[in-house]
Structure formats: structure tokens, C-alpha cells
Amino acid sequence: DTEDPEATGEAAGDSAKEARTDGNVQRKNTRTWAEENDYNTQKLFQKLFCDDIKYLLTMESLWKNRKDRQPPNPQEWDCLPSSPNVTQAGDVTLADQKVWSVAECATQMDTAIA
């Protein structure tokens, strides 16, 4: 991709420079894209947590020096984990201290956008 920030300079080659100058890629910012899709929660979720992550995973140089963490996993709206991916402390008594699952986060996102 010509917009890969790590593919600039010598690593990008001449084709990336040509692609930018002749304007063969039309980009939209996320807000414009969301407006065009009527802020559809499932489409937004798909873009942010699946499509964009899949795109980032194609950038191998982005992940090769990050030994301390694993690359993210794309999430599909219809297949979200219903349990948190971290262990909940046993003494949690307040609702705002509860660790949410990805499915609960998606529900909150849907509520906030609707």
C-alpha cells in the first residue's frame, strides 16, 4: 500500500512514489465514511475491528520488532467472545470496576451510536 508509513523512502520504491503523485488512491477519513454509512454500528465495528486490523496485519514490518505483545486479532460482529479476556478480580463490587467482554463493549458501542 502506498500509504504505509513504514514503506517510505528506499523501502517503498518508485512505484509507491508514482502512486501518490498520480492520485490513483482515493482515501476517505473515518468520519466521512461513517456519515456515508449512516453511522451503522455493525459496519463501523467491521471496519475498525476487522477490516482495519486485517490490513494492519499485512504490514509485517510493523509487528516484527514487537516481541512484548502479540498482533491484534480481527473481530467479527457475529462472533464476539462473551467472556472477558482477562481475569476478573474477585472483590469487584462496583459496576464500573467490572471487566467487560468484547460482546459487552460492542453492545455499549451500539447503544452510544444509536
Side-chain angles (χ1 to χ4, degrees):
D1 181 32
T2 60
E3 294 297 319
D4 181 356
E6 293 186 352
T8 57
E10 292 178 23
D14 291 334
S15 62
K17 293 175 187 174
E18 290 171 10
R20 284 189 187 167
T21 57
D22 78 9
N24 66 347
V25 177
Q26 182 178 358
R27 302 265 181 208
K28 292 182 184 176
N29 66 36
T30 304
R31 172 175 259 162
T32 301
W33 182 88
E35 288 171 353
E36 290 174 357
N37 286 282
D38 296 322
Y39 293 97
N40 181 298
T41 307
Q42 290 184 7
K43 287 183 180 180
L44 280 167
F45 189 94
Q46 179 71 24
K47 179 189 180 337
L48 298 172
F49 300 107
C50 187
D51 299 340
D52 287 356
I53 289 175
K54 286 179 181 178
Y55 171 72
L56 291 172
L57 290 172
T58 65
M59 297 181 204
E60 293 178 17
S61 59
L62 185 65
W63 307 106
K64 69 180 177 183
N65 292 329
R66 296 185 181 199
K67 306 284 187 221
D68 59 329
R69 64 181 102 155
Q70 294 182 348
N73 295 316
Q75 301 291 318
E76 297 281 345
W77 180 267
D78 296 327
C79 304
L80 296 175
S82 59
S83 59
N85 61 352
V86 294
T87 306
Q88 176 83 30
D91 59 349
V92 172
T93 56
L94 300 175
D96 64 344
Q97 295 176 333
K98 181 179 181 276
V99 177
W100 287 352
S101 68
V102 176
E104 289 171 304
C105 291
T107 301
Q108 290 298 318
M109 180 180 172
D110 191 32
T111 303
I113 293 174

PDB file of all heavy atoms in Angstrom, residues 5-40:
ATOM      1  N   PRO A   5       3.089   3.915   6.270  1.00  0.00           N
ATOM      2  CA  PRO A   5       4.104   4.836   6.779  1.00  0.00           C
ATOM      3  C   PRO A   5       5.484   4.215   6.877  1.00  0.00           C
ATOM      4  O   PRO A   5       6.488   4.905   6.842  1.00  0.00           O
ATOM      5  CB  PRO A   5       3.586   5.235   8.161  1.00  0.00           C
ATOM      6  CG  PRO A   5       2.636   4.169   8.542  1.00  0.00           C
ATOM      7  CD  PRO A   5       2.076   3.616   7.266  1.00  0.00           C
ATOM      8  N   GLU A   6       5.552   2.883   6.971  1.00  0.00           N
ATOM      9  CA  GLU A   6       6.847   2.227   7.060  1.00  0.00           C
ATOM     10  C   GLU A   6       7.445   1.955   5.689  1.00  0.00           C
ATOM     11  O   GLU A   6       8.591   1.556   5.576  1.00  0.00           O
ATOM     12  CB  GLU A   6       6.710   0.932   7.847  1.00  0.00           C
ATOM     13  CG  GLU A   6       6.368   1.185   9.293  1.00  0.00           C
ATOM     14  CD  GLU A   6       6.366  -0.090  10.097  1.00  0.00           C
ATOM     15  OE1 GLU A   6       6.482  -1.177   9.515  1.00  0.00           O
ATOM     16  OE2 GLU A   6       6.247   0.010  11.320  1.00  0.00           O
ATOM     17  N   ALA A   7       6.664   2.156   4.633  1.00  0.00           N
ATOM     18  CA  ALA A   7       7.141   1.876   3.289  1.00  0.00           C
ATOM     19  C   ALA A   7       7.566   3.156   2.579  1.00  0.00           C
ATOM     20  O   ALA A   7       7.428   3.285   1.383  1.00  0.00           O
ATOM     21  CB  ALA A   7       6.054   1.159   2.496  1.00  0.00           C
ATOM     22  N   THR A   8       8.070   4.109   3.300  1.00  0.00           N
ATOM     23  CA  THR A   8       8.531   5.343   2.687  1.00  0.00           C
ATOM     24  C   THR A   8      10.016   5.257   2.417  1.00  0.00           C
ATOM     25  O   THR A   8      10.707   4.399   2.936  1.00  0.00           O
ATOM     26  CB  THR A   8       8.238   6.555   3.597  1.00  0.00           C
ATOM     27  OG1 THR A   8       8.866   6.333   4.861  1.00  0.00           O
ATOM     28  CG2 THR A   8       6.756   6.757   3.784  1.00  0.00           C
ATOM     29  N   GLY A   9      10.494   6.152   1.609  1.00  0.00           N
ATOM     30  CA  GLY A   9      11.925   6.182   1.320  1.00  0.00           C
ATOM     31  C   GLY A   9      12.327   5.053   0.405  1.00  0.00           C
ATOM     32  O   GLY A   9      11.600   4.693  -0.515  1.00  0.00           O
ATOM     33  N   GLU A  10      13.484   4.475   0.647  1.00  0.00           N
ATOM     34  CA  GLU A  10      14.030   3.448  -0.225  1.00  0.00           C
ATOM     35  C   GLU A  10      13.176   2.182  -0.224  1.00  0.00           C
ATOM     36  O   GLU A  10      13.039   1.520  -1.235  1.00  0.00           O
ATOM     37  CB  GLU A  10      15.448   3.102   0.204  1.00  0.00           C
ATOM     38  CG  GLU A  10      16.426   4.226  -0.019  1.00  0.00           C
ATOM     39  CD  GLU A  10      17.816   3.848   0.467  1.00  0.00           C
ATOM     40  OE1 GLU A  10      18.106   2.637   0.556  1.00  0.00           O
ATOM     41  OE2 GLU A  10      18.585   4.760   0.761  1.00  0.00           O
ATOM     42  N   ALA A  11      12.613   1.853   0.914  1.00  0.00           N
ATOM     43  CA  ALA A  11      11.832   0.620   1.013  1.00  0.00           C
ATOM     44  C   ALA A  11      10.582   0.665   0.144  1.00  0.00           C
ATOM     45  O   ALA A  11      10.098  -0.347  -0.317  1.00  0.00           O
ATOM     46  CB  ALA A  11      11.442   0.360   2.463  1.00  0.00           C
ATOM     47  N   ALA A  12      10.036   1.848  -0.075  1.00  0.00           N
ATOM     48  CA  ALA A  12       8.803   1.976  -0.833  1.00  0.00           C
ATOM     49  C   ALA A  12       9.039   1.776  -2.322  1.00  0.00           C
ATOM     50  O   ALA A  12       8.181   1.275  -3.030  1.00  0.00           O
ATOM     51  CB  ALA A  12       8.174   3.343  -0.586  1.00  0.00           C
ATOM     52  N   GLY A  13      10.173   2.190  -2.824  1.00  0.00           N
ATOM     53  CA  GLY A  13      10.456   2.054  -4.248  1.00  0.00           C
ATOM     54  C   GLY A  13       9.779   3.145  -5.052  1.00  0.00           C
ATOM     55  O   GLY A  13       9.035   3.973  -4.538  1.00  0.00           O
ATOM     56  N   ASP A  14      10.038   3.134  -6.345  1.00  0.00           N
ATOM     57  CA  ASP A  14       9.493   4.175  -7.222  1.00  0.00           C
ATOM     58  C   ASP A  14       8.003   4.023  -7.444  1.00  0.00           C
ATOM     59  O   ASP A  14       7.293   5.007  -7.645  1.00  0.00           O
ATOM     60  CB  ASP A  14      10.209   4.146  -8.572  1.00  0.00           C
ATOM     61  CG  ASP A  14      11.650   4.598  -8.448  1.00  0.00           C
ATOM     62  OD1 ASP A  14      11.932   5.375  -7.509  1.00  0.00           O
ATOM     63  OD2 ASP A  14      12.482   4.172  -9.278  1.00  0.00           O
ATOM     64  N   SER A  15       7.477   2.807  -7.412  1.00  0.00           N
ATOM     65  CA  SER A  15       6.056   2.620  -7.682  1.00  0.00           C
ATOM     66  C   SER A  15       5.185   3.305  -6.637  1.00  0.00           C
ATOM     67  O   SER A  15       4.129   3.835  -6.951  1.00  0.00           O
ATOM     68  CB  SER A  15       5.713   1.140  -7.762  1.00  0.00           C
ATOM     69  OG  SER A  15       5.975   0.520  -6.525  1.00  0.00           O
ATOM     70  N   ALA A  16       5.615   3.312  -5.386  1.00  0.00           N
ATOM     71  CA  ALA A  16       4.848   3.982  -4.336  1.00  0.00           C
ATOM     72  C   ALA A  16       4.840   5.486  -4.561  1.00  0.00           C
ATOM     73  O   ALA A  16       3.829   6.151  -4.362  1.00  0.00           O
ATOM     74  CB  ALA A  16       5.422   3.661  -2.965  1.00  0.00           C
ATOM     75  N   LYS A  17       5.973   6.035  -4.981  1.00  0.00           N
ATOM     76  CA  LYS A  17       6.040   7.472  -5.250  1.00  0.00           C
ATOM     77  C   LYS A  17       5.146   7.839  -6.423  1.00  0.00           C
ATOM     78  O   LYS A  17       4.448   8.844  -6.390  1.00  0.00           O
ATOM     79  CB  LYS A  17       7.484   7.884  -5.525  1.00  0.00           C
ATOM     80  CG  LYS A  17       8.382   7.757  -4.317  1.00  0.00           C
ATOM     81  CD  LYS A  17       9.825   8.056  -4.663  1.00  0.00           C
ATOM     82  CE  LYS A  17      10.722   7.746  -3.473  1.00  0.00           C
ATOM     83  NZ  LYS A  17      12.134   7.879  -3.810  1.00  0.00           N
ATOM     84  N   GLU A  18       5.140   7.000  -7.463  1.00  0.00           N
ATOM     85  CA  GLU A  18       4.286   7.251  -8.617  1.00  0.00           C
ATOM     86  C   GLU A  18       2.814   7.173  -8.234  1.00  0.00           C
ATOM     87  O   GLU A  18       2.007   7.965  -8.687  1.00  0.00           O
ATOM     88  CB  GLU A  18       4.581   6.236  -9.716  1.00  0.00           C
ATOM     89  CG  GLU A  18       5.924   6.429 -10.374  1.00  0.00           C
ATOM     90  CD  GLU A  18       6.261   5.271 -11.303  1.00  0.00           C
ATOM     91  OE1 GLU A  18       5.375   4.437 -11.573  1.00  0.00           O
ATOM     92  OE2 GLU A  18       7.421   5.196 -11.738  1.00  0.00           O
ATOM     93  N   ALA A  19       2.456   6.229  -7.393  1.00  0.00           N
ATOM     94  CA  ALA A  19       1.059   6.055  -6.998  1.00  0.00           C
ATOM     95  C   ALA A  19       0.552   7.278  -6.258  1.00  0.00           C
ATOM     96  O   ALA A  19      -0.589   7.690  -6.442  1.00  0.00           O
ATOM     97  CB  ALA A  19       0.907   4.816  -6.128  1.00  0.00           C
ATOM     98  N   ARG A  20       1.370   7.876  -5.443  1.00  0.00           N
ATOM     99  CA  ARG A  20       0.937   9.066  -4.711  1.00  0.00           C
ATOM    100  C   ARG A  20       0.777  10.262  -5.626  1.00  0.00           C
ATOM    101  O   ARG A  20      -0.144  11.033  -5.480  1.00  0.00           O
ATOM    102  CB  ARG A  20       1.941   9.409  -3.619  1.00  0.00           C
ATOM    103  CG  ARG A  20       1.836   8.507  -2.440  1.00  0.00           C
ATOM    104  CD  ARG A  20       2.672   9.010  -1.313  1.00  0.00           C
ATOM    105  NE  ARG A  20       2.663   8.003  -0.266  1.00  0.00           N
ATOM    106  CZ  ARG A  20       3.467   8.003   0.752  1.00  0.00           C
ATOM    107  NH1 ARG A  20       4.360   8.945   0.897  1.00  0.00           N
ATOM    108  NH2 ARG A  20       3.393   7.061   1.645  1.00  0.00           N
ATOM    109  N   THR A  21       1.674  10.430  -6.566  1.00  0.00           N
ATOM    110  CA  THR A  21       1.631  11.620  -7.403  1.00  0.00           C
ATOM    111  C   THR A  21       0.527  11.554  -8.445  1.00  0.00           C
ATOM    112  O   THR A  21      -0.042  12.570  -8.795  1.00  0.00           O
ATOM    113  CB  THR A  21       2.988  11.863  -8.101  1.00  0.00           C
ATOM    114  OG1 THR A  21       3.331  10.710  -8.861  1.00  0.00           O
ATOM    115  CG2 THR A  21       4.066  12.163  -7.083  1.00  0.00           C
ATOM    116  N   ASP A  22       0.206  10.364  -8.954  1.00  0.00           N
ATOM    117  CA  ASP A  22      -0.832  10.331  -9.982  1.00  0.00           C
ATOM    118  C   ASP A  22      -2.228  10.202  -9.381  1.00  0.00           C
ATOM    119  O   ASP A  22      -3.216  10.225 -10.099  1.00  0.00           O
ATOM    120  CB  ASP A  22      -0.555   9.248 -11.021  1.00  0.00           C
ATOM    121  CG  ASP A  22      -0.890   7.846 -10.569  1.00  0.00           C
ATOM    122  OD1 ASP A  22      -1.500   7.655  -9.504  1.00  0.00           O
ATOM    123  OD2 ASP A  22      -0.543   6.924 -11.305  1.00  0.00           O
ATOM    124  N   GLY A  23      -2.331  10.038  -8.071  1.00  0.00           N
ATOM    125  CA  GLY A  23      -3.622  10.074  -7.389  1.00  0.00           C
ATOM    126  C   GLY A  23      -4.511   8.884  -7.655  1.00  0.00           C
ATOM    127  O   GLY A  23      -5.723   9.016  -7.712  1.00  0.00           O
ATOM    128  N   ASN A  24      -3.944   7.695  -7.798  1.00  0.00           N
ATOM    129  CA  ASN A  24      -4.774   6.535  -8.103  1.00  0.00           C
ATOM    130  C   ASN A  24      -5.479   5.956  -6.879  1.00  0.00           C
ATOM    131  O   ASN A  24      -6.254   5.036  -6.994  1.00  0.00           O
ATOM    132  CB  ASN A  24      -3.938   5.445  -8.785  1.00  0.00           C
ATOM    133  CG  ASN A  24      -2.890   4.868  -7.861  1.00  0.00           C
ATOM    134  OD1 ASN A  24      -2.601   5.409  -6.804  1.00  0.00           O
ATOM    135  ND2 ASN A  24      -2.312   3.751  -8.273  1.00  0.00           N
ATOM    136  N   VAL A  25      -5.233   6.493  -5.694  1.00  0.00           N
ATOM    137  CA  VAL A  25      -5.878   6.004  -4.479  1.00  0.00           C
ATOM    138  C   VAL A  25      -6.687   7.134  -3.872  1.00  0.00           C
ATOM    139  O   VAL A  25      -6.162   8.196  -3.569  1.00  0.00           O
ATOM    140  CB  VAL A  25      -4.826   5.508  -3.455  1.00  0.00           C
ATOM    141  CG1 VAL A  25      -5.499   5.069  -2.175  1.00  0.00           C
ATOM    142  CG2 VAL A  25      -3.994   4.390  -4.044  1.00  0.00           C
ATOM    143  N   GLN A  26      -7.987   6.901  -3.733  1.00  0.00           N
ATOM    144  CA  GLN A  26      -8.838   7.912  -3.106  1.00  0.00           C
ATOM    145  C   GLN A  26      -9.136   7.473  -1.685  1.00  0.00           C
ATOM    146  O   GLN A  26      -9.752   6.437  -1.460  1.00  0.00           O
ATOM    147  CB  GLN A  26     -10.134   8.086  -3.884  1.00  0.00           C
ATOM    148  CG  GLN A  26     -11.021   9.162  -3.305  1.00  0.00           C
ATOM    149  CD  GLN A  26     -12.287   9.361  -4.118  1.00  0.00           C
ATOM    150  OE1 GLN A  26     -12.487   8.731  -5.137  1.00  0.00           O
ATOM    151  NE2 GLN A  26     -13.137  10.245  -3.663  1.00  0.00           N
ATOM    152  N   ARG A  27      -8.685   8.247  -0.739  1.00  0.00           N
ATOM    153  CA  ARG A  27      -8.872   7.941   0.676  1.00  0.00           C
ATOM    154  C   ARG A  27      -9.989   8.808   1.251  1.00  0.00           C
ATOM    155  O   ARG A  27     -10.197   9.935   0.832  1.00  0.00           O
ATOM    156  CB  ARG A  27      -7.593   8.222   1.457  1.00  0.00           C
ATOM    157  CG  ARG A  27      -6.410   7.462   0.969  1.00  0.00           C
ATOM    158  CD  ARG A  27      -6.243   6.220   1.776  1.00  0.00           C
ATOM    159  NE  ARG A  27      -5.088   5.494   1.305  1.00  0.00           N
ATOM    160  CZ  ARG A  27      -4.971   4.204   1.405  1.00  0.00           C
ATOM    161  NH1 ARG A  27      -5.920   3.503   1.954  1.00  0.00           N
ATOM    162  NH2 ARG A  27      -3.909   3.583   0.967  1.00  0.00           N
ATOM    163  N   LYS A  28     -10.682   8.246   2.254  1.00  0.00           N
ATOM    164  CA  LYS A  28     -11.695   8.999   2.993  1.00  0.00           C
ATOM    165  C   LYS A  28     -11.346   8.908   4.465  1.00  0.00           C
ATOM    166  O   LYS A  28     -10.902   7.865   4.932  1.00  0.00           O
ATOM    167  CB  LYS A  28     -13.089   8.399   2.793  1.00  0.00           C
ATOM    168  CG  LYS A  28     -13.634   8.540   1.420  1.00  0.00           C
ATOM    169  CD  LYS A  28     -15.024   7.952   1.361  1.00  0.00           C
ATOM    170  CE  LYS A  28     -15.526   8.004  -0.072  1.00  0.00           C
ATOM    171  NZ  LYS A  28     -16.822   7.372  -0.203  1.00  0.00           N
ATOM    172  N   ASN A  29     -11.607   9.988   5.184  1.00  0.00           N
ATOM    173  CA  ASN A  29     -11.386   9.876   6.622  1.00  0.00           C
ATOM    174  C   ASN A  29     -12.536   9.089   7.233  1.00  0.00           C
ATOM    175  O   ASN A  29     -13.602   8.922   6.627  1.00  0.00           O
ATOM    176  CB  ASN A  29     -11.182  11.245   7.279  1.00  0.00           C
ATOM    177  CG  ASN A  29     -12.407  12.120   7.241  1.00  0.00           C
ATOM    178  OD1 ASN A  29     -13.533  11.645   7.362  1.00  0.00           O
ATOM    179  ND2 ASN A  29     -12.210  13.407   7.089  1.00  0.00           N
ATOM    180  N   THR A  30     -12.331   8.597   8.422  1.00  0.00           N
ATOM    181  CA  THR A  30     -13.308   7.713   9.064  1.00  0.00           C
ATOM    182  C   THR A  30     -14.636   8.413   9.305  1.00  0.00           C
ATOM    183  O   THR A  30     -15.699   7.817   9.136  1.00  0.00           O
ATOM    184  CB  THR A  30     -12.729   7.163  10.380  1.00  0.00           C
ATOM    185  OG1 THR A  30     -11.490   6.507  10.087  1.00  0.00           O
ATOM    186  CG2 THR A  30     -13.674   6.179  11.029  1.00  0.00           C
ATOM    187  N   ARG A  31     -14.597   9.679   9.686  1.00  0.00           N
ATOM    188  CA  ARG A  31     -15.851  10.396   9.937  1.00  0.00           C
ATOM    189  C   ARG A  31     -16.699  10.479   8.666  1.00  0.00           C
ATOM    190  O   ARG A  31     -17.907  10.225   8.706  1.00  0.00           O
ATOM    191  CB  ARG A  31     -15.572  11.798  10.472  1.00  0.00           C
ATOM    192  CG  ARG A  31     -16.857  12.626  10.552  1.00  0.00           C
ATOM    193  CD  ARG A  31     -16.626  13.960  11.173  1.00  0.00           C
ATOM    194  NE  ARG A  31     -17.092  13.816  12.533  1.00  0.00           N
ATOM    195  CZ  ARG A  31     -16.778  14.604  13.514  1.00  0.00           C
ATOM    196  NH1 ARG A  31     -15.967  15.607  13.333  1.00  0.00           N
ATOM    197  NH2 ARG A  31     -17.273  14.409  14.708  1.00  0.00           N
ATOM    198  N   THR A  32     -16.093  10.836   7.549  1.00  0.00           N
ATOM    199  CA  THR A  32     -16.829  10.917   6.283  1.00  0.00           C
ATOM    200  C   THR A  32     -17.402   9.553   5.921  1.00  0.00           C
ATOM    201  O   THR A  32     -18.561   9.438   5.527  1.00  0.00           O
ATOM    202  CB  THR A  32     -15.901  11.419   5.160  1.00  0.00           C
ATOM    203  OG1 THR A  32     -15.386  12.702   5.526  1.00  0.00           O
ATOM    204  CG2 THR A  32     -16.637  11.525   3.845  1.00  0.00           C
ATOM    205  N   TRP A  33     -16.590   8.513   6.075  1.00  0.00           N
ATOM    206  CA  TRP A  33     -17.053   7.168   5.770  1.00  0.00           C
ATOM    207  C   TRP A  33     -18.230   6.784   6.662  1.00  0.00           C
ATOM    208  O   TRP A  33     -19.219   6.216   6.207  1.00  0.00           O
ATOM    209  CB  TRP A  33     -15.892   6.183   5.945  1.00  0.00           C
ATOM    210  CG  TRP A  33     -16.266   4.782   5.596  1.00  0.00           C
ATOM    211  CD1 TRP A  33     -16.208   4.194   4.371  1.00  0.00           C
ATOM    212  CD2 TRP A  33     -16.796   3.792   6.487  1.00  0.00           C
ATOM    213  NE1 TRP A  33     -16.654   2.900   4.442  1.00  0.00           N
ATOM    214  CE2 TRP A  33     -17.021   2.629   5.728  1.00  0.00           C
ATOM    215  CE3 TRP A  33     -17.100   3.782   7.840  1.00  0.00           C
ATOM    216  CZ2 TRP A  33     -17.530   1.463   6.288  1.00  0.00           C
ATOM    217  CZ3 TRP A  33     -17.606   2.621   8.396  1.00  0.00           C
ATOM    218  CH2 TRP A  33     -17.821   1.480   7.624  1.00  0.00           C
ATOM    219  N   ALA A  34     -18.150   7.105   7.957  1.00  0.00           N
ATOM    220  CA  ALA A  34     -19.224   6.786   8.898  1.00  0.00           C
ATOM    221  C   ALA A  34     -20.503   7.531   8.541  1.00  0.00           C
ATOM    222  O   ALA A  34     -21.601   6.958   8.589  1.00  0.00           O
ATOM    223  CB  ALA A  34     -18.795   7.117  10.323  1.00  0.00           C
ATOM    224  N   GLU A  35     -20.371   8.804   8.177  1.00  0.00           N
ATOM    225  CA  GLU A  35     -21.554   9.586   7.780  1.00  0.00           C
ATOM    226  C   GLU A  35     -22.217   8.973   6.548  1.00  0.00           C
ATOM    227  O   GLU A  35     -23.439   8.869   6.475  1.00  0.00           O
ATOM    228  CB  GLU A  35     -21.160  11.035   7.506  1.00  0.00           C
ATOM    229  CG  GLU A  35     -20.828  11.817   8.752  1.00  0.00           C
ATOM    230  CD  GLU A  35     -20.234  13.197   8.461  1.00  0.00           C
ATOM    231  OE1 GLU A  35     -19.953  13.517   7.281  1.00  0.00           O
ATOM    232  OE2 GLU A  35     -20.051  13.951   9.431  1.00  0.00           O
ATOM    233  N   GLU A  36     -21.397   8.583   5.570  1.00  0.00           N
ATOM    234  CA  GLU A  36     -21.938   7.975   4.347  1.00  0.00           C
ATOM    235  C   GLU A  36     -22.636   6.649   4.624  1.00  0.00           C
ATOM    236  O   GLU A  36     -23.496   6.230   3.854  1.00  0.00           O
ATOM    237  CB  GLU A  36     -20.815   7.773   3.323  1.00  0.00           C
ATOM    238  CG  GLU A  36     -20.305   9.074   2.760  1.00  0.00           C
ATOM    239  CD  GLU A  36     -19.101   8.884   1.844  1.00  0.00           C
ATOM    240  OE1 GLU A  36     -18.620   7.733   1.682  1.00  0.00           O
ATOM    241  OE2 GLU A  36     -18.632   9.901   1.304  1.00  0.00           O
ATOM    242  N   ASN A  37     -22.273   5.988   5.699  1.00  0.00           N
ATOM    243  CA  ASN A  37     -22.900   4.718   6.075  1.00  0.00           C
ATOM    244  C   ASN A  37     -23.914   4.893   7.199  1.00  0.00           C
ATOM    245  O   ASN A  37     -24.254   3.920   7.888  1.00  0.00           O
ATOM    246  CB  ASN A  37     -21.820   3.702   6.472  1.00  0.00           C
ATOM    247  CG  ASN A  37     -21.086   3.187   5.267  1.00  0.00           C
ATOM    248  OD1 ASN A  37     -21.580   2.336   4.552  1.00  0.00           O
ATOM    249  ND2 ASN A  37     -19.900   3.728   5.012  1.00  0.00           N
ATOM    250  N   ASP A  38     -24.378   6.120   7.407  1.00  0.00           N
ATOM    251  CA  ASP A  38     -25.409   6.436   8.408  1.00  0.00           C
ATOM    252  C   ASP A  38     -25.046   5.955   9.805  1.00  0.00           C
ATOM    253  O   ASP A  38     -25.911   5.542  10.575  1.00  0.00           O
ATOM    254  CB  ASP A  38     -26.766   5.850   7.999  1.00  0.00           C
ATOM    255  CG  ASP A  38     -27.285   6.464   6.710  1.00  0.00           C
ATOM    256  OD1 ASP A  38     -27.091   7.682   6.515  1.00  0.00           O
ATOM    257  OD2 ASP A  38     -27.869   5.722   5.893  1.00  0.00           O
ATOM    258  N   TYR A  39     -23.766   5.981  10.128  1.00  0.00           N
ATOM    259  CA  TYR A  39     -23.262   5.563  11.447  1.00  0.00           C
ATOM    260  C   TYR A  39     -23.776   4.183  11.837  1.00  0.00           C
ATOM    261  O   TYR A  39     -24.102   3.926  12.996  1.00  0.00           O
ATOM    262  CB  TYR A  39     -23.612   6.601  12.519  1.00  0.00           C
ATOM    263  CG  TYR A  39     -22.882   7.902  12.329  1.00  0.00           C
ATOM    264  CD1 TYR A  39     -23.480   8.972  11.679  1.00  0.00           C
ATOM    265  CD2 TYR A  39     -21.581   8.055  12.781  1.00  0.00           C
ATOM    266  CE1 TYR A  39     -22.803  10.168  11.493  1.00  0.00           C
ATOM    267  CE2 TYR A  39     -20.895   9.244  12.594  1.00  0.00           C
ATOM    268  CZ  TYR A  39     -21.517  10.294  11.948  1.00  0.00           C
ATOM    269  OH  TYR A  39     -20.840  11.470  11.763  1.00  0.00           O
ATOM    270  N   ASN A  40     -23.851   3.290  10.877  1.00  0.00           N
ATOM    271  CA  ASN A  40     -24.285   1.921  11.124  1.00  0.00           C
ATOM    272  C   ASN A  40     -23.258   1.233  12.027  1.00  0.00           C
ATOM    273  O   ASN A  40     -22.098   1.071  11.653  1.00  0.00           O
ATOM    274  CB  ASN A  40     -24.418   1.175   9.795  1.00  0.00           C
ATOM    275  CG  ASN A  40     -24.886  -0.250   9.975  1.00  0.00           C
ATOM    276  OD1 ASN A  40     -24.215  -1.062  10.604  1.00  0.00           O
ATOM    277  ND2 ASN A  40     -26.050  -0.545   9.427  1.00  0.00           N
TER     278      ASN A  40
END
